[in-house]
Amino acid sequence: MARVYNFSAGPAVLPEEVLKEAAAEMLDYQGSGQSVMEMSHRSKVFDKIIKDAEQDLRDLLNIPDNYKVLFLQGGAHLQFAMIPMNLMKNKVADYIVTGQWAKRAFKEAQKFGDAKCIASSEDKTFSYIPDCSDLPIDENADYVYICENNTIYGTKFKTLPNTKGKDLVADVSSCFLSEPMDVSKYAVIYGGAQKNIGPAGVVIAIIREDLITEDVLPGTPTMLQYKTHADNDSLYNTPPCYGIYICGKVFKWLKKQGGLEVMKERNEKKAAILYDFLDQSKLFKGTVEKNSRSLMNVPFVTGDADLDAKFIKEATEAGFVNLKGHRSVGGMRASIYNAMPIEGVEKLVAFMKKFEEENA
Ligand SMILES: *Cc1c(COP(=O)(O)O)cnc(C)c1O
């Protein structure tokens, strides 16, 4: 069996240790005689799985007690709607549009109220994070929204926007658990698991408790109210049990690695290997302004679409897969999430060097 180096933006690489453990437990989870896929979500065994997962996540992120952790479904996309439906009390919200996902969230919020775009980097194909130190934030804004790490364009907020006292909502899908974060600076943090945590099908939302109320937009379905899930510890209906179990294993793996400080160091080291190479390469070039660079998603180009295609083809044959850039930007993108080992990045750079020499 040969495992590839998988640079996919998502669904993405998972720690091999986690996959092996899951494989070993596939037919008989810890003496239960069943797979986690087969057991009742109301069973004692599953209750421990979901409670442990929540506690380990709380430990990793130091989540304060006045925040709820919810395991939800519907992808990040459903949060684009649930956020305005649950938080738009004044029907006003300010959006910072730094990429396609932020733009989708912004467009969705416009269906529910007065959502405004107060800053954007679309003028330069989202290749930077705009200055957010003094934005025209609406006095009545229910929240300010960001996509903290822009998966497609490879940018990341290095400092959070000055929200002038308004609640901050962040989509952290592609930087979740890549480094420590101060949860108390946010009102809502959410992300789809399939980027940096686990399998597709789980969305994790961390929400300040005072925001979880019955005061939601009229007509909000029961399933789309945060309160429904908060009141039932994410077990109102059948949750994505197997996905939550894998997320839980990844949380334990992260703790074993030494936690998020260690992951941050490791991720900085990994990203530097790639960025340092790009900065001196005569063939490959990064597409993002240096001070906005993501540690997780690294887009790059040769400047020649045919050569890009040749590179992707040869890289795939050599076992470096899913390096094609998002269809909206072209070129290449290496996603180097927590589970990508440092050797994967070192070997990719060695391969790029060789390709550069051969195609000089
Ligand atoms: C992938 C991604 C999304 C979309 O996720 P779905 O789970 O497919 O809805 C949204 N935001 C960010 C930052 C992403 O990386």
Side-chain angles (χ1 to χ4, degrees):
M1 179 207 60
R3 300 246 318 147
V4 291
Y5 287 112
N6 181 6
F7 294 93
S8 171
V13 56
L14 286 168
E16 209 167 286
E17 256 176 83
V18 165
L19 296 176
K20 281 184 176 150
E21 259 182 49
E25 292 172 348
M26 182 59 78
L27 298 182
D28 177 9
Y29 176 75
Q30 298 189 357
S32 68
Q34 311 156 60
S35 165
V36 174
M37 265 185 261
E38 302 170 300
M39 63 180 56
S40 165
H41 60 294
R42 309 273 174 217
S43 65
K44 269 210 176 99
V45 185
F46 185 74
D47 199 58
K48 179 159 167 51
I49 291 174
I50 192 168
K51 294 255 159 58
D52 284 356
E54 173 172 345
Q55 190 55 53
D56 287 332
L57 181 65
R58 285 186 175 277
D59 294 346
L60 284 165
L61 278 171
N62 275 315
I63 300 175
D65 288 343
N66 62 327
Y67 284 74
K68 283 271 191 222
V69 172
L70 305 181
F71 295 98
L72 305 170
Q73 301 187 63
H77 274 81
L78 196 53
Q79 295 310 304
F80 298 169
M82 280 177 77
I83 287 159
M85 288 174 125
N86 284 272
L87 303 187
M88 261 193 179
K89 321 279 179 199
N90 299 325
K91 292 205 172 198
V92 180
D94 287 336
Y95 279 71
I96 299 174
V97 176
T98 52
Q100 193 161 299
W101 301 126
K103 199 169 170 178
R104 281 227 181 138
F106 166 54
K107 290 252 148 82
E108 189 73 359
Q110 285 180 318
K111 291 188 172 180
F112 301 101
D114 182 13
K116 284 192 284 284
C117 168
I118 53 165
S120 166
S121 52
E122 195 163 11
D123 59 335
K124 292 184 189 163
T125 337
F126 299 119
S127 58
Y128 68 102
I129 298 292
D131 177 4
C132 298
S133 57
D134 185 18
L135 296 173
I137 292 177
D138 196 302
E139 257 179 30
N140 295 313
D142 293 303
Y143 59 89
V144 175
Y145 182 101
I146 61 168
C147 177
E148 191 158 332
N149 185 80
N150 297 278
T151 325
I152 296 174
Y153 303 93
T155 60
K156 162 118 206 290
F157 280 81
K158 298 296 154 97
T159 47
L160 293 175
N162 175 3
T163 64
K164 303 184 179 173
K166 299 298 179 190
D167 282 334
L168 178 65
V169 174
D171 174 357
V172 300
S173 294
S174 50
C175 59
F176 225 164
L177 308 182
S178 62
E179 55 185 293
M181 61 197 296
D182 181 352
V183 174
S184 69
K185 290 194 169 136
Y186 303 78
V188 177
I189 295 170
Y190 79 91
Q194 76 272 24
K195 306 292 163 68
N196 203 23
I197 297 182
V202 185
V203 171
I204 297 169
I206 302 166
I207 309 174
R208 211 178 60 226
E209 256 167 16
D210 61 281
L211 294 166
I212 303 174
T213 68
E214 268 157 16
D215 179 18
V216 297
L217 294 187
T220 300
T222 308
M223 267 299 281
L224 302 192
Q225 298 180 25
Y226 289 133
K227 193 167 189 317
T228 303
H229 300 281
D231 286 351
N232 292 281
D233 297 324
S234 301
L235 290 166
Y236 173 70
N237 72 323
T238 319
C241 301
Y242 197 79
I244 292 168
Y245 154 75
I246 298 290
C247 289
K249 285 204 176 297
V250 172
F251 300 153
K252 289 208 188 303
W253 178 79
L254 287 167
K255 282 176 118 176
K256 214 168 105 188
Q257 305 304 302
L260 301 190
E261 285 292 349
V262 171
M263 293 319 293
K264 177 176 196 244
E265 258 174 58
R266 204 184 283 179
N267 287 327
E268 281 171 347
K269 204 166 143 194
K270 267 162 34 185
I273 295 171
L274 197 43
Y275 285 124
D276 288 350
F277 171 72
L278 290 171
D279 287 344
Q280 59 74 53
S281 171
K282 292 195 174 60
L283 181 63
F284 297 102
K285 171 165 126 296
T287 57
V288 170
E289 278 187 15
K290 280 189 185 174
N291 53 10
S292 300
R293 282 172 164 176
S294 165
L295 292 181
M296 296 282 101
N297 311 97
V298 184
F300 55 95
V301 294
T302 64
D304 173 344
D306 290 340
L307 205 52
D308 286 352
K310 184 173 187 242
F311 173 78
I312 291 161
K313 181 170 177 283
E314 291 181 13
T316 306
E317 285 162 8
F320 305 102
V321 308
N322 292 318
L323 279 165
K324 201 169 180 328
H326 190 269
R327 56 197 148 83
S328 67
V329 287
M332 282 73 73
R333 171 181 49 175
S335 295
I336 49 175
Y337 296 121
N338 283 339
M340 172 58 65
I342 196 158
E343 311 84 68
V345 181
E346 285 167 349
K347 286 182 183 166
L348 173 66
V349 166
F351 180 81
M352 289 167 78
K353 270 185 189 149
K354 187 167 140 273
F355 185 89
E356 180 169 338
E357 281 158 20
E358 289 167 359
N359 293 274

